Amino acid sequence: MQHEALDVLIVEDEPQLATLHAEFLEKNFHLRVVAYAATLAEARAKVNDHQPRLILLDNFLPDGQGIALMEEAAVKKPGCSVIFITAASDMNTCSQAIRNGAFDYIIKPVSYKRLRNSLERFMQFVQTQHTFKVIDQSNVDALYNLQSKQFSSEPGTKGIETNTLELVQALFIDRPNVAHAVEDVVEKAGISKTTARRYLEYCVTTQFVKVEMLYGKIGHPRRLYRKA
């Protein structure tokens, strides 16, 4: 029997990035976004209104730090999990998130390969909780392993700046069925060809876009990029 999709709250003050997250999780997982929040105050209200099963949480918000949301009673309940997606790379914030029970912690700029891995484990975690009503040590180990699984190395983010990445990704969000050449990105994003190539290849590596080759009668084939 197919269970209802799990409710998700996205706490993110960048609208384009929030849209990206929502599109990615609803397309690839049995999840539905029930609310967005761009401030800590909004997040507190919507957590209590919607009682989401999962929260994608940014830390740097206009009116405070997202980590404070984990003190809310509705977030502390066993039926609510938090995945941090944040530029906060200091050990204090990360340690506090872990102590407060965050399911995962992903540092921006977002690798959608890494986010997929996290969401896959979260879905398995929920399924395991549904499967075992009475647990033994092996069941407990399985639950902990889903939160502490080792990851293969992610593509490096050196030279990748969040605002520019979001600008490039927005071109594909606005026109998801259009294949863009490097020159298109240069013109529309207002960046150099070298920069455009670097960000496009990063998007390929993180599975945000896919590559298509356009073969003409003369010269080398053109490399086109389309939203994955």
Side-chain angles (χ1 to χ4, degrees):
M1 181 179 178
Q2 180 73 29
H3 295 286
E4 287 189 6
L6 303 178
D7 292 346
V8 180
L9 166 65
I10 295 179
V11 183
E12 170 59 59
D13 64 337
E14 292 290 339
Q16 290 182 342
L17 191 55
T19 300
L20 267 178
H21 294 341
E23 184 180 82
F24 180 80
L25 65 85
E26 289 187 337
K27 178 180 178 181
N28 294 286
F29 299 92
H30 197 49
L31 299 166
R32 67 173 172 234
V33 177
V34 294
Y36 296 88
T39 67
L40 184 57
E42 286 181 2
R44 285 178 169 137
K46 291 184 179 181
V47 160
N48 291 303
D49 288 344
H50 297 280
Q51 304 286 313
R53 183 63 183 80
L54 176 66
I55 302 172
L56 299 189
L57 179 62
D58 188 16
N59 194 50
F60 296 130
L61 299 170
D63 57 342
Q65 294 192 334
I67 191 77
L69 188 69
M70 299 192 74
E71 297 300 325
E72 295 293 310
V75 179
K76 289 183 175 181
K77 290 181 179 178
C80 182
S81 295
V82 174
I83 295 177
F84 268 85
I85 302 179
T86 177
S89 56
D90 61 285
M91 181 55 72
N92 182 58
T93 302
C94 183
S95 298
Q96 190 176 350
I98 293 170
R99 287 196 304 272
N100 287 339
F103 184 84
D104 205 351
Y105 195 101
I106 300 174
I107 296 176
K108 293 179 179 178
V110 179
S111 161
Y112 280 88
K113 179 180 178 182
R114 178 66 174 79
L115 180 57
R116 180 188 292 275
N117 185 301
S118 183
L119 291 170
E120 285 175 350
R121 288 184 297 108
F122 169 72
M123 299 302 289
Q124 292 171 26
F125 182 82
V126 172
Q127 182 59 44
T128 301
Q129 287 180 312
H130 288 159
T131 301
F132 301 112
K133 301 303 180 185
V134 179
I135 63 171
D136 57 21
Q137 188 62 55
S138 64
N139 304 146
V140 174
D141 292 344
L143 288 171
Y144 270 97
N145 286 337
L146 287 170
Q147 285 194 264
S148 61
K149 183 177 179 181
Q150 295 295 313
F151 306 100
S152 58
S153 59
E154 292 297 318
T157 58
K158 184 177 181 180
I160 301 297
E161 193 271 328
T162 301
N163 290 337
T164 303
L165 179 62
E166 291 174 6
L167 186 63
V168 171
Q169 290 176 331
L171 302 177
F172 295 91
I173 298 171
D174 293 340
R175 305 181 70 188
N177 297 319
V178 175
H180 298 273
V182 172
E183 293 77 11
D184 299 328
V185 177
V186 169
E187 179 184 351
K188 295 171 183 174
I191 56 180
S192 70
K193 184 173 287 188
T194 300
T195 300
R197 286 199 180 101
R198 182 169 69 250
Y199 279 82
L200 285 169
E201 291 307 316
Y202 177 84
C203 288
V204 171
T205 305
T206 56
Q207 301 179 353
F208 178 77
V209 300
K210 58 186 177 181
V211 176
E212 299 175 0
M213 303 304 290
L214 178 62
Y215 293 91
K217 294 181 179 179
I218 302 175
H220 298 292
R222 295 185 70 201
R223 191 174 173 87
L224 302 178
Y225 300 84
R226 190 189 303 271
K227 194 168 185 310

